[in-house]
Amino acid sequence: MHLDPRVLPILCSVLYPSVSPTPECHLATVATWADKIRYRARWSAPLHYVGALGDHPSDTCLFPGSRGWAGHEGGNVLAAIRNVTTILEDFVQVSERRVADDALAEEALKFLIHFVGDMHQPLHLTGRDRGGNGNKISWDGRITNLHSLWDGLLIAKALRGIPSSSNYSRPLPVREVEASLRGAIYDPYIRKLMWEGVGVGRGTGRWEAEVDDWLACPAPTRVGLARRFAQAVLGPAPGPPQTTDDDVLCPYAWAAPLHELNCEVVWPRELDEPRYAHVDGGHDDHVHAASAEDELRALDRDALPTAEVGKYLELDTPEYAGRIQREWVVEKLLAMGGIRLAAVLNVIFVPLVDVAHWL
């Protein structure tokens, strides 16, 4: 809904290069593609997150760590956002496109959509216990892990908190919002975010004064969106993540304050108490939760026996979940990620709007 209206048809033609005429599409339909292919494209798994060496929320948040970043150079979500953005920028500049270019651009666009989302989930920005995947917790009478809680369960709880009789079950008087919805279970939630949070259609919202700042980038050593890289999606990024930033796209600068949330609100201090301080090594790195619809249904499962649940820290409490809800923490992250993604896509693809090839 924040895209230049002329850009969405171009994105559809990139996502469906062999289909003519290009079908109506929504970015949501490809948003989980990068997760679905990660187990057969194992090289892509580290590109979903970034971990600092020495980072240890909730008591210490370092970004990067005193010993830099975990993993090989460029193998993280910040560098991945830069790389796939550059691939798409190069694609736009090429006047004669080949099938190989189309396939690479389609893949890069799907990765970009997903990676920007991942960057706005704070546990994708810390390497401690594989971003919380190894930390079991109790949530509403069942056992899960901290990462899954932030990937889906908090959103599912928010969805359940919007009654079917609310104003958000009906269309808003805002065309750009309603035209972007899909008739999904989370439509009322998105309406609430846009109406009360961003202030779309009414001029006031709790974040209205901040939105322009969400898109601002400090002035780093310029890398440049149009800088060309010969490598494909897996190719190494230039230097440490800070060098991925320029004055238009700055994943490091955007991610740094989000990483601080791990110490402020995301990572419970109680997990370091002796009774809860155990790490499960059985989870793969940064495994994602199911869809919001699946997580909503999961909340209706029978509660586990009290004795079993009592082994783990309960986080569906006024102190933890209540604070997150009161401060609209998750909602702000979702809105921020969507608006930043739209801005990046507009910058990349608006130059194609007047090109006859796309009309």
Side-chain angles (χ1 to χ4, degrees), residues 21 34 65 70 85 122 146 162 226 255 261 267 288 295 317 339 341 346 354-355:
T85 300
L146 187 63
I162 302 178
L261 292 173
W267 205 287
H288 280 244
E295 292 293 358
T317 63
I339 289 173
L341 175 62
N346 285 339
D354 296 324
V355 178

Side-chain angles (χ1 to χ4, degrees), residues 288-309:
H288 280 244
S291 67
E293 290 94 333
D294 291 338
E295 292 293 358
L296 190 61
R297 287 189 289 269
L299 287 176
D300 288 321
R301 295 174 185 166
D302 293 336
L304 294 168
T306 303
E308 180 69 13
V309 172

